Amino acid sequence: MAELTELRRAIGRHEQLLVAFSGGADSALVAWVARDVLGPERARAVTAVSPSLAGEDLEDCRRLAGEWGLRWSTVATDEMERAAYRSNDGDRCYHCKTALLDALEPLVGCIGRRSGPIAGGTEAVVALGVNLDDLGDHRPGQRAATERGAVFPLVEAGFTKVDVRSWSRRLGLRTWDKPAAACLASRLPYGTEVSVAVLSRVERAERSLHRLGFVELRVRHYGDLARIEVPLAVLPVVVERRADVVEAVRAAGYEYVTLDLEGFRSGNLNGALRRASAAEPEPRA
């Protein structure tokens, strides 16, 4: 298991840290430790607000900041105004992360003062909640972050997802068992255009299912068809409550409601990219 000492050391290397704070287990741990190591005057948590962020997630970020005494703010990002993002190709996350870093740029010199850059001071470094397990998946957003000089303290400290949850629990952070919550755009198959209307429909469907008591889930968007993913152990419960589930999802605007028998798989739409890549003919010599 990775040691918390290493994470504190990775964070302590920086004079000031601007933590991209989604409220998930990873970024929450980074934000909490950054506040503990650097103090609120040198560590700031910032949540990016856009149509791809569920309202439930934004409200939880607000609550966590209050509970933990984080210096917290929001920043609006403009990825929806970027055609490259809306086209939703395999690099969608690259364009999204670029928009985030563009939005954070004006803040990197403003950590130690309420307004204006720090005269003669060191600019803040942007930190993201990326762990070692994330490095093995298709995550072009990490490339964008690296190109812009962002840091990954969890990776530096050797933290896996299991380490993040284990240490969060030992520290008493309620985020230790929080389900992964990727942006709403991740529910759209690559090639399906991202729009505010579609993201809103997905959010309404998932919010309704949460209210029925389903915690970990995804509603994948295929036009008028919604494909629901839940953990395998929960499949029988969905079937048992199928009338409520169908009503909830149809109320969000879907005509057809289906259940994925393979269960919940975070990032499973990346499989289409891997299959497409494997099917490409090798270049001739």
Side-chain angles (χ1 to χ4, degrees), residues 5-204:
T5 302
E6 291 302 316
L7 180 57
R8 294 176 63 87
R9 184 178 293 119
I11 287 173
R13 292 191 187 104
H14 305 287
E15 185 68 23
Q16 301 178 86
L17 215 58
L18 193 63
V19 182
F21 182 60
S22 69
D26 298 324
S27 67
L29 179 60
V30 174
W32 192 93
V33 175
R35 180 202 58 79
D36 190 52
V37 172
L38 301 176
E41 291 304 314
R42 295 197 292 136
R44 180 173 179 178
V46 182
T47 300
V49 178
S50 77
S52 67
L53 176 70
E56 293 176 334
D57 293 333
L58 176 59
E59 286 309 308
D60 199 39
C61 286
R62 192 187 311 277
R63 287 192 294 269
L64 285 169
E67 291 169 18
W68 296 348
L70 301 178
R71 187 173 178 189
W72 176 79
S73 60
T74 62
V75 63
T77 55
D78 66 355
E79 65 266 26
M80 286 299 300
E81 299 175 20
R82 305 184 182 209
Y85 171 83
R86 295 195 307 273
S87 67
N88 194 18
D89 64 9
D91 276 341
R92 183 196 68 236
C93 291
Y94 179 92
H95 306 302
C96 180
K97 200 66 69 182
T98 298
L100 167 64
L101 293 165
D102 285 347
L104 293 178
E105 185 65 29
L107 302 179
V108 297
C110 305
I111 301 294
R113 295 178 58 182
R114 294 294 173 183
S115 62
I118 303 170
T122 303
E123 288 191 338
V125 174
V126 176
L128 303 182
V130 176
N131 65 66
L132 286 176
D133 294 332
D134 295 327
L135 302 182
D137 197 1
H138 176 71
R139 303 289 179 93
Q142 295 171 13
R143 174 163 49 90
T146 301
E147 290 173 357
R148 299 288 290 273
V151 296
F152 307 153
L154 295 172
V155 172
E156 292 179 45
F159 272 60
T160 64
K161 191 69 173 184
V162 170
D163 294 323
V164 169
R165 294 196 183 281
S166 176
W167 275 108
S168 295
R169 187 175 189 179
R170 292 170 69 175
L171 292 169
L173 308 185
R174 65 173 174 82
T175 52
W176 76 270
D177 63 345
K178 188 174 182 180
C183 77
L184 293 170
S186 68
R187 278 58 157 180
L188 281 60
Y190 293 111
T192 299
E193 184 175 357
V194 181
S195 71
V196 174
V198 168
L199 296 178
S200 178
R201 188 192 301 184
V202 170
E203 181 180 8
R204 291 196 305 273

Side-chain angles (χ1 to χ4, degrees), residues 90 92 137-139 190 266-275:
R92 183 196 68 236
D137 197 1
H138 176 71
R139 303 289 179 93
Y190 293 111
S266 183
N268 83 67
L269 294 180
N270 288 337
L273 293 178
R274 291 190 290 269
R275 289 189 294 272

